[in-house]
Amino acid sequence: MAIPLLTPNFIKYWVFQALLFMASLGSSSQAPHEVSQLYQFSYPTAVEDLISLSNGCLLLGTSTSNTLYYIDPEALFPSAQFITSFPGSDELTAFVTLPDGRYAVAGSTTIPPTPRGYTHIYVFTVDTEVTIGNVTMELLLEVPYTGRIDGMTTLPKYPHMILAADTIGGRILRINTAVGNGVSVAFEHATLKPSDQRNSTAKGIKGLEVKDDHLYFTNEAQGIFGRFPIDENGNSTGDVEILARLDEEVYGYGTSYGGFSFDSEGNAFIAAPPTSLHKITPTGVQGVFAGGVDSMFLEPTSAIVSNNGKAIYVSTAGKNTGYPFTGGQLLRVQVES
Ligand SMILES: *[C@@H]1O[C@H](CO)[C@@H](O)[C@H](O)[C@H]1NC(C)=O
Ligand SMILES: *[C@@H]1O[C@H](CO)[C@@H](O)[C@H](O)[C@H]1NC(C)=O
Ligand SMILES: *[C@@H]1O[C@H](CO)[C@@H](O)[C@H](O)[C@H]1NC(C)=O
């Protein structure tokens, strides 16, 4: 093992880890939540996002292919089953649940990753009762001038309307899946942009969720978790509110925010690569909920609260630095410790 450089940030980071560890000894309520690996893909498959079906099983999309995987997380030996692929895309980046048993996934082409390219949105159903995993395509949408969508949610009053995050352009798009071609820009804002607009691979928004008249987002490049008040059509009606920031002196150099999910009490669980899952309460109190240095987490990408609220499922990209390289994972974090 290489000897790490003792930079001030590095030292602060380890001091923080030591304090966390001592805190965990001092109080059982601070104990890390139990994490188990349900499945690991082989390298270089990297899981990018996941969604829970009505039967509790999960769909996984990867940033390395257009393949859709299905996993029963409650199985004795969970295993990823290939169920379909979506022609025209090289990666699947974001899922959302639509009404009437439908789901949508965004797919983009990685070569060339241009902001002026277009993203596909595939609307489909999945059989969870008779022929398990039988996918039926219902609709294919093209979103122009959008290199990559990293986060989708729906409007509570119009649940067939998707709000989608243009992660390179820094815009919130409104996509009408009922008419099949209605794409418009809901709004844009400086806090939604990647830091470097000229870099077509730099990413801004990594997660998007609507809750109680607000649109919540994470911004990877800017290290922020915030929200906008919105109206029933998804237009913003007020200024942004930053709820939490990623202080690298506290959480470690290179920590960033990925996808997230709310529990029924309004706590946000955010994938925080390279090694953690953060929890942010409705009042903005942030902490490491699971993982940390030397944990099982290998570059978490997204997180969802299970249908029964007892677990959080985390997708990871795996590791392509150091040795050995590893594929992406599906992890389960126990909610009650
Ligand atoms: C899959 O679903 C479609 C549409 O519901 C149906 O027509 C088809 O027969 C199903 N395939 C299998 C193998 O059950
Ligand atoms: C663009 O951003 C990506 C991701 O942040 C980074 O890895 C890459 O080095 C950047 N490229 C340039 C030319 O700045
Ligand atoms: C709000 O959204 C609707 C689309 O549903 C649009 O027609 C309207 O112009 C928007 N209003 C404002 C004030 O931006």
Side-chain angles (χ1 to χ4, degrees):
M1 201 177 111
I3 296 171
L5 294 174
L6 295 178
T7 61
N9 270 344
F10 182 85
I11 293 167
K12 275 183 206 148
Y13 182 70
W14 280 100
V15 167
F16 173 73
Q17 290 301 326
L19 289 175
L20 262 191
F21 178 69
M22 285 185 282
S24 75
L25 295 179
S27 142
S28 62
S29 69
Q30 295 281 313
H33 293 79
E34 189 189 318
V35 182
S36 51
Q37 177 175 293
L38 300 182
Y39 187 77
Q40 182 165 33
F41 289 85
S42 55
Y43 181 80
T45 301
V47 190
E48 181 64 22
D49 196 22
L50 73 177
I51 198 168
S52 188
L53 300 172
S54 53
N55 66 351
C57 292
L58 308 173
L59 295 182
L60 273 55
T62 76
S63 58
T64 35
S65 78
N66 59 6
T67 301
L68 187 68
Y69 294 95
Y70 179 96
I71 295 190
D72 177 358
E74 302 286 341
L76 192 52
F77 300 105
S79 175
Q81 190 189 337
F82 163 94
I83 56 171
T84 196
S85 57
F86 294 106
S89 294
D90 302 323
E91 55 180 326
L92 301 178
T93 56
F95 287 102
V96 70
T97 302
L98 296 171
D100 308 321
R102 294 149 79 232
Y103 301 88
V105 66
S108 57
T109 48
T110 46
I111 311 162
T114 132
R116 299 228 161 265
Y118 58 86
T119 301
H120 283 125
I121 300 216
Y122 306 86
V123 177
F124 59 93
T125 59
V126 190
D127 190 341
T128 54
E129 274 155 26
V130 184
T131 315
I132 309 270
N134 181 21
V135 173
T136 308
M137 273 294 296
E138 303 243 311
L139 184 66
L140 171 60
L141 288 161
E142 262 181 27
V143 185
Y145 303 115
T146 305
R148 188 183 162 101
I149 287 175
D150 263 329
M152 294 202 286
T153 183
T154 54
L155 291 171
K157 186 152 180 213
Y158 307 109
H160 61 281
M161 295 284 263
I162 296 175
L163 291 184
D166 170 359
T167 189
I168 299 170
R171 306 173 303 166
I172 303 297
L173 306 172
R174 180 171 31 222
I175 299 166
N176 188 340
T177 60
V179 301
N181 63 358
V183 179
S184 61
V185 178
F187 61 97
E188 37 191 315
H189 191 269
T191 54
L192 302 174
K193 311 266 177 203
S195 313
D196 184 356
Q197 276 277 285
R198 290 155 307 172
N199 182 341
S200 65
T201 59
K203 293 176 190 126
I205 315 167
K206 290 297 281 185
L208 206 59
E209 294 293 334
V210 169
K211 184 170 73 71
D212 303 336
D213 304 326
H214 282 87
L215 180 68
Y216 291 76
F217 67 95
T218 52
N219 185 317
E220 176 186 66
Q222 300 190 30
I224 53 178
F225 173 63
R227 65 177 192 176
F228 286 89
I230 56 167
D231 66 15
E232 60 187 32
N233 296 309
N235 294 327
S236 82
T237 57
D239 207 1
V240 67
E241 187 184 347
I242 305 299
L243 298 167
R245 287 178 191 278
L246 267 181
D247 182 349
E248 288 188 332
E249 294 195 357
V250 176
Y251 296 109
Y253 179 74
T255 307
S256 62
Y257 285 141
F260 66 97
S261 170
F262 286 111
D263 69 8
S264 58
E265 284 154 26
N267 299 300
F269 294 90
I270 307 185
T275 56
S276 303
L277 177 71
H278 285 199
K279 175 181 173 183
I280 299 178
T281 69
T283 56
V285 178
Q286 177 168 217
V288 175
F289 188 74
V293 175
D294 290 333
S295 70
M296 222 180 271
F297 287 70
L298 302 170
E299 303 290 340
T301 48
S302 197
I304 52 160
V305 176
S306 70
N307 293 356
N308 64 15
K310 291 186 175 158
I312 296 157
Y313 298 117
V314 179
S315 57
T316 80
K319 199 160 71 79
N320 63 1
T321 54
Y323 180 85
F325 287 8
T326 62
Q329 308 155 291
L330 174 65
L331 302 175
R332 180 186 196 279
V333 180
Q334 182 70 26
V335 169
E336 291 107 41
S337 56

